Each structure stands twice: as structure tokens, then as C-alpha cells.
Amino acid sequence: LIFTFNILIICLPLLASNALVATYYSREGKAGYLKKVKPIYALYPLLAKLFFNLILSIPTVFVTVAIFGSSVGFNVWYIIILGFAILFLHYGHMLYSALLDVMNPQNEQYASTGVVSDNPNENKSTVLAFVLSFAYAIIAFILFNESGIQNGNYLSACLRLLLISLAYCASCAILFVKKIKAYYYE
């Protein structure tokens, strides 16, 4: 249970922070509509807004996982694998949150008032963050119990968590690219 609660505690604030990503494009106001008429590939400016968040989350995740891993006796490889697993989960949720804002823009509200008090994209992103965090923690609990807490071999659990995160991140990335192509070009 210690592993499960620590993974939950790592994932909850990390994924909940992506609620802000669900407002990145709407905050541009009416200027956000210019992406539809620009002659450049729309995916580049859309991903450019996520770039710093993608890069700056790397040290945050790895420092947090290293603290957790050292407290429970993980070796360096377990910490690295689990760090990438949580990082890819974060990236997938970030892309999905950005997609929520692209597909349901709140540009008019931001253009007229400057803020939106009840942004549906933020709400959906936050709810998904809680659901993903709890589901990921439960999956981690099952996998760590299967790996055998008695013998201390957690490699298979960490690798399976990484594969789950990679699959989620890849599916969100594919969905992001396909929806951007459909929304901006077709």
C-alpha cells in the first residue's frame, strides 16, 4: 500500500496541473482563430505552447520519483523506469488536456472578459486527472503485489507500468495529431 499511495500522491498534483493546459489556446482570445488561416502547419504553434511544460516537468518527475524510490529501497533502474512511466502518463494527459481546449475553445469568453470562471475544459481535465491517478495507483498496486513484495523484484511491475504509460501517451498523441489535422485542414 505504501507504493500505491506514493504513486497516487505523485500523480495527483502532477496530472491536476494540466488543468491549466486546458486553457492555453483559449487564453489567446480572438487571436486563436488566426491559426486556422495561417499558411504554416498548425501542429507546430500548438505544440510550441506545450514545449516548456514538457521540458520542465522532466526534473520534477524524476526528483519526486527518486525521493520515493530511495525511501522504499528501489535501485537506480527501478527509479528510472518508474520515472519514465509517470512522465509518459503526464505527457499523455497533457496532450489530452490541450486537445480539450483545441476542440472546445473558450476564445469568446476570454476575449470579452479575460477569464472564464467555470471553464468546462479545466473541469474535464481535472476530473480525468483524478480518475487517471486513482486507476494508475490501483494498477500499480496490483502489479507490485504480483511482482512479489517479499522477494523485492519490481522490474516486471515497473516495466508494465511503463508500457501502460507509453500506450496511453501514444494513443493521446495520435488522437491529438489526427484531431488537429481534421480540425485545421479538413
Side-chain angles (χ1 to χ4, degrees):
L1 287 177
I2 293 171
F3 294 165
T4 305
F5 286 121
N6 278 305
I7 288 176
L8 180 65
I9 289 170
I10 291 169
C11 290
L12 268 175
L14 185 67
L15 296 183
S17 70
N18 287 334
L20 184 62
V21 173
T23 65
Y24 275 2
Y25 308 117
S26 292
R27 288 177 189 248
E28 295 173 350
K30 293 190 183 210
Y33 295 120
L34 293 176
K35 281 190 218 75
K36 284 189 128 288
V37 296
K38 280 185 182 179
I40 64 170
Y41 189 54
L43 193 61
Y44 298 140
L46 293 174
L47 286 176
K49 282 193 150 283
L50 300 176
F51 180 73
F52 286 111
N53 200 4
L54 291 168
I55 297 300
L56 294 177
S57 61
I58 294 171
T60 304
V61 169
F62 279 100
V63 166
T64 308
V65 172
I67 292 169
F68 158 65
S70 64
S71 69
V72 296
F74 277 4
N75 68 28
V76 175
W77 292 110
Y78 296 162
I79 292 171
I80 291 171
I81 294 169
L82 189 60
F84 277 113
I86 292 175
L87 186 68
F88 285 122
L89 181 73
H90 173 62
Y91 284 175
H93 185 257
M94 186 185 306
L95 287 172
Y96 188 79
S97 296
L99 184 62
L100 286 172
D101 195 38
V102 169
M103 299 312 294
N104 185 21
Q106 305 295 312
N107 295 5
E108 292 298 323
Q109 288 86 349
Y110 278 104
S112 60
T113 63
V115 295
V116 175
S117 61
D118 192 28
N119 189 333
N121 300 331
E122 284 184 54
N123 297 340
K124 289 176 189 173
S125 177
T126 303
V127 168
L128 182 63
F130 278 94
V131 169
L132 270 177
S133 296
F134 282 105
Y136 200 71
I138 290 170
I139 291 169
F141 175 74
I142 293 167
L143 292 177
F144 281 123
N145 277 338
E146 275 182 12
S147 292
I149 292 177
Q150 293 79 18
N151 63 14
N153 185 8
Y154 304 113
L155 182 61
S156 66
C158 291
L159 286 174
R160 287 197 238 165
L161 285 172
L162 178 62
L163 289 176
I164 291 167
S165 298
L166 278 171
Y168 177 70
C169 184
S171 65
C172 287
I174 291 168
L175 185 67
F176 186 79
V177 170
K178 285 188 183 244
K179 292 256 184 165
I180 295 302
K181 284 182 181 178
Y183 186 71
Y184 283 98
Y185 299 112
E186 296 173 3

